[in-house]
Amino acid sequence: MGRNSEKDPNRPKRAQSAYFIFMGDFREKCKRTGEADTSNVTEFTKLASTKWKALNEEDRKPWDERAALDKQRYEREMESYHPPPGMGGGKARKKKDPYAPKRPKSGYLHYLEAFRAKHPELGHKEIVSKGAEEWGRLTDEQKVPYNKLYETAKEEYNAKMQAMNY
């Protein structure tokens, strides 16, 4: 689901990690005992994460077990959960037509192609980084031949798209 879409209030809550369960327990303990100030979220989180990191595997076991149980609960609830119409996981992506023409290469990509031909000894990363560096140093007049190749390819692409009724 997207950030701005409505959420189903009946959807099962996600399973918590062992760390989050520990944080909740530690927060409750600190509120009861006054061990740490829980009102300052930043400071409390730093303290709790330090304590969590200091725990060895054996000490973390109770929280790991609770997290595993919570994960099982979540999976069990999700098996029987069916979202209401309109909340089925967001907007479906439009399928790409395999017969549609490819979009044209930009002027920059035409330049990189020529740059690669001039420098066959360079690897992919060097071609991209050095090619981008040189492209940035070119004047608009020097970029014209590459941009013309793009414009020509773009016109062909648009003509093919119109012919296919897109």
Side-chain angles (χ1 to χ4, degrees):
M1 283 191 181
R3 281 184 162 234
N4 296 329
S5 61
E6 286 185 38
K7 293 184 179 178
D8 181 10
N10 299 322
R11 186 172 201 266
K13 290 218 183 284
R14 286 185 152 261
Q16 287 191 319
S17 67
Y19 175 68
F20 269 68
I21 295 170
F22 168 79
M23 286 283 286
D25 291 352
F26 187 63
R27 183 175 292 109
E28 290 303 315
K29 178 185 168 198
C30 289
K31 282 182 182 177
R32 278 194 320 269
T33 63
E35 183 180 334
D37 179 20
T38 59
S39 63
N40 186 335
V41 177
T42 307
E43 292 302 316
F44 176 76
T45 305
K46 284 180 187 175
L47 175 66
S49 67
T50 304
K51 293 237 185 226
W52 176 254
K53 288 175 188 172
L55 295 175
N56 61 30
E57 236 179 269
E58 191 61 35
D59 293 337
R60 289 184 185 187
K61 202 170 193 168
W63 292 287
D64 288 333
E65 290 170 355
R66 285 173 56 192
L69 288 173
D70 198 32
K71 184 177 180 183
Q72 290 173 355
R73 180 232 14 117
Y74 176 69
E75 289 171 350
R76 197 174 45 251
E77 289 178 6
M78 283 304 288
E79 284 175 8
S80 61
Y81 172 71
H82 300 288
M87 289 194 178
K91 190 174 168 183
R93 188 174 183 171
K94 185 178 176 185
K95 296 274 187 218
K96 185 182 185 315
D97 182 356
Y99 302 108
K102 283 178 112 177
R103 294 183 68 180
K105 285 189 270 185
S106 67
Y108 171 68
L109 288 177
H110 282 288
Y111 172 77
L112 272 185
E113 202 172 68
F115 186 82
R116 182 178 287 119
K118 286 182 198 171
H119 303 283
E121 73 284 356
L122 295 178
H124 176 73
K125 287 184 178 180
E126 290 89 13
I127 286 175
V128 172
S129 63
K130 291 180 180 178
E133 211 173 279
E134 282 195 28
W135 176 258
R137 280 190 244 138
L138 293 179
T139 63
D140 287 341
E141 293 81 40
Q142 291 172 313
K143 292 179 182 179
V144 166
Y146 304 106
N147 290 332
K148 277 189 179 177
L149 287 171
Y150 166 70
E151 291 299 327
T152 305
K154 184 179 169 186
E155 288 170 9
E156 289 173 14
Y157 170 78
N158 288 337
K160 287 178 183 176
M161 290 297 279
Q162 265 189 328
M164 295 182 77
N165 294 324
Y166 282 110

